[in-house]
Amino acid sequence: MPECPELHLAGRYINEACGALVFSGGVERSAVGRGPEVPFSSEAYRISATARGKELRLTLTPLGSAGAPQELVFRFGMSGSFRLCPAAELPRHAHLRFRTRDSPPRVLCFIDVRRFGSWRLGDAWQEGRGPCVLSEYQAFRENVLKNLEDKAFDKPICEALLNQKFFNGIGNYLRAEILYRLKIPPFEKARTVLEALKEQEQERRRKKPSLTLSKKLKLMRENPDLLELCHTVPMEVIATEKHLSDPDHSENYAAFKGWLQCYLVPGMSSLRDRNGRTIWFQGEPGPMAPKGQAPRKKRAQVESNPEAVTPKVRSLCCPVPSRRRPRAAAKPPVPAKEEEEEAGDGPRKGRARRRRSVATAAALPEPEAQVKAERRRRTPARRGRGEAGSLQHQRGFGAPLTL
């Protein structure tokens, strides 16, 4: 999701790419754009941009005395961005378009694939947003420290950092990086973290009341606190002068992933906060962690090896050898005495039945007993019918014996 570095880089891109261009005509809007029609048209006008927190303001200024300027304030949502491209190669999802007077013409497009972004008419920033962590750092710091009694600071620090009333411009990846660098558990109470910071600042002012600005900046770089990192960490992204978090530019996105120390990094843990947003961290989550959740660790993804041997695919006409184990050969018939000894290890019911059959055979005359034994050996086992079967079936042999 675009955060304050991306908004500021977008403003810089518009000013540099469009500063010398002259635009003409009306503003074109797609049928599905999440914003109003722009009632502006001019034969010649210029475009400039200003970013503040997670908002960007465009100013359309007519050349000469042709009319009043028109201002628009954009929010980028999950995937918003601006791009200048040839009019013959309009990208998909270009929901607002400004055409130049060039030949062939070019178009400045507001592109939003997921359509969470929006715009509104006028120059006013969204009401309720605090000072920008980048362009209004001192006002941002004072706004936080003088309002620590606000109920927003009853929440975990990871949730408070997304409150745009106090941390205008901070988003999901920035909060993870800031807390990770200071080793602050994400579910520590926000007021606990910031009150300690306020006490440190008061102590620092008492000991060194007359520090120059250069010395203050040096101290901030050497021992930054949480509010200072809310300013310096976004500045690191802006200092690259590239749209690092844009996956459409693979080289930039690879550099962005290399810059990240915590967010989406293998080995780091993650939990969902009470707003449903995923927070990445290392170590213990903190005392206000949601109940019933266990931290999940990100595993390193194994990169595919193009030189790996491709497994062979068998043709449908070639039979696949069976993986079944070969069936054991039938055992030879066991004499009656051995059968009785082996049957002694079986269940009690089977033993009683065998004892009765053996006793009956012993009570019969010798020739008749032999005939009975022969019949038992010839009778095939009847499986699955719930019948007693022969001694062979009771001992588990699968195939009938043949004499």
Side-chain angles (χ1 to χ4, degrees):
M1 177 179 179
E3 303 180 20
C4 62
E6 288 73 40
L7 273 293
H8 279 256
L9 286 171
R12 181 183 296 178
Y13 167 77
I14 292 170
N15 291 333
E16 292 177 355
C18 304
L21 297 178
V22 176
F23 292 80
S24 179
V27 180
E28 302 170 7
R29 173 187 176 274
S30 73
V32 294
R34 291 188 61 187
E37 293 282 354
V38 181
F40 176 85
S41 181
S42 176
E43 290 297 321
Y45 66 95
R46 295 191 187 276
I47 295 179
S48 60
T50 306
R52 180 180 184 265
K54 286 191 176 184
E55 295 181 299
L56 182 140
R57 182 167 62 205
L58 281 191
T59 302
L60 316 181
T61 307
L63 298 180
S65 57
Q70 173 67 61
E71 291 177 304
L72 308 167
V73 176
F74 288 81
R75 295 178 64 188
F76 281 18
M78 297 291 291
S79 58
S81 64
F82 276 92
R83 186 185 305 172
L84 182 66
C85 58
E89 300 174 10
L90 281 179
R92 295 181 61 191
H93 312 289
H95 298 304
L96 210 61
R97 301 179 290 273
F98 308 85
R99 291 183 178 269
T100 67
R101 204 167 57 176
D102 299 345
S103 182
R106 286 179 286 175
V107 182
L108 177 66
C109 304
F110 175 64
I111 304 168
D112 186 12
V113 176
R114 301 182 66 178
R115 285 169 42 197
F116 285 102
S118 62
W119 62 88
R120 62 184 182 275
L121 304 177
D123 62 345
W125 302 112
Q126 185 181 18
E127 187 177 355
R129 286 183 175 267
C132 176
V133 296
L134 278 172
S135 58
E136 302 165 309
Y137 169 69
Q138 198 57 43
F140 148 71
R141 187 179 184 90
E142 293 172 0
N143 184 47
V144 172
L145 294 180
K146 75 181 183 182
N147 288 294
L148 291 182
E149 297 303 318
D150 193 281
K151 63 181 181 180
F153 299 105
D154 293 333
K155 297 181 178 181
I157 185 63
C158 66
E159 295 179 13
L161 282 171
L162 295 185
N163 189 328
Q164 301 301 296
K165 179 180 177 181
F166 299 104
F167 297 90
N168 186 12
I170 300 298
N172 210 24
Y173 82 80
L174 285 176
R175 68 168 177 172
E177 296 298 314
I178 291 165
L179 294 175
Y180 170 77
R181 296 189 187 193
L182 293 173
K183 308 302 178 188
I184 296 175
F187 291 95
E188 186 67 59
K189 191 174 183 178
R191 187 176 292 109
T192 303
V193 174
L194 294 168
E195 280 182 345
L197 187 153
K198 186 176 182 179
E199 292 172 2
Q200 292 173 6
E201 183 169 280
Q202 290 173 348
E203 184 68 16
R204 186 190 302 172
R205 286 180 179 177
R206 187 178 62 82
K207 289 183 177 179
K208 301 176 182 179
S210 59
L211 284 177
T212 62
L213 179 60
S214 60
K215 289 183 178 180
K216 286 181 181 179
L217 292 174
K218 183 179 179 182
L219 282 174
M220 187 173 76
R221 287 191 298 267
E222 292 175 352
N223 300 296
D225 58 34
L226 186 140
L227 297 181
E228 288 164 348
L229 285 183
C230 287
H231 174 74
T232 58
V233 172
M235 287 297 294
E236 291 179 16
V237 181
I238 291 177
T240 62
E241 298 185 356
K242 294 179 180 178
H243 291 274
L244 290 183
S245 60
D246 186 357
D248 292 338
H249 299 82
S250 57
E251 293 182 1
N252 292 352
Y253 192 58
F256 175 67
K257 291 177 70 176
W259 172 82
L260 293 171
Q261 299 180 30
C262 179
Y263 183 75
L264 294 176
V265 173
M268 297 297 165
S269 302
S270 66
L271 277 173
R272 286 191 179 274
D273 63 21
R274 290 169 180 81
N275 299 319
R277 305 290 300 277
T278 301
I279 175 66
W280 295 84
F281 62 95
Q282 186 180 51
E284 294 298 320
M288 298 182 73
K291 305 298 182 184
Q293 281 193 57
R296 297 175 297 174
K297 278 204 171 184
K298 179 163 178 75
R299 298 180 180 179
Q301 296 180 353
V302 180
E303 295 183 0
S304 58
N305 183 7
E307 298 180 359
V309 179
T310 305
K312 295 181 179 179
V313 179
R314 293 181 177 271
S315 173
L316 292 176
C317 61
C318 300
V320 180
S322 174
R323 294 187 179 180
R324 292 184 179 180
R325 296 177 61 183
R327 191 172 182 177
K331 294 183 179 180
V334 184
K337 289 185 179 179
E338 293 182 13
E339 284 188 5
E340 292 175 23
E341 292 174 1
E342 290 186 16
D345 295 331
R348 189 173 298 173
K349 183 176 179 181
R351 289 205 305 269
R353 184 175 293 171
R354 291 189 190 99
R355 279 197 293 270
R356 285 198 300 270
S357 63
V358 172
T360 305
L364 294 172
E366 186 173 351
E368 191 173 349
Q370 290 179 357
V371 171
K372 291 279 187 182
E374 290 290 337
R375 285 178 182 173
R376 281 198 300 272
R377 282 197 293 269
R378 289 179 183 179
T379 304
R382 287 177 283 182
R383 296 183 180 178
R385 299 183 182 180
E387 300 179 12
S390 63
L391 284 175
Q392 173 192 353
H393 175 64
Q394 293 171 7
R395 290 176 55 227
F397 293 115
L401 293 174
T402 56
L403 297 178

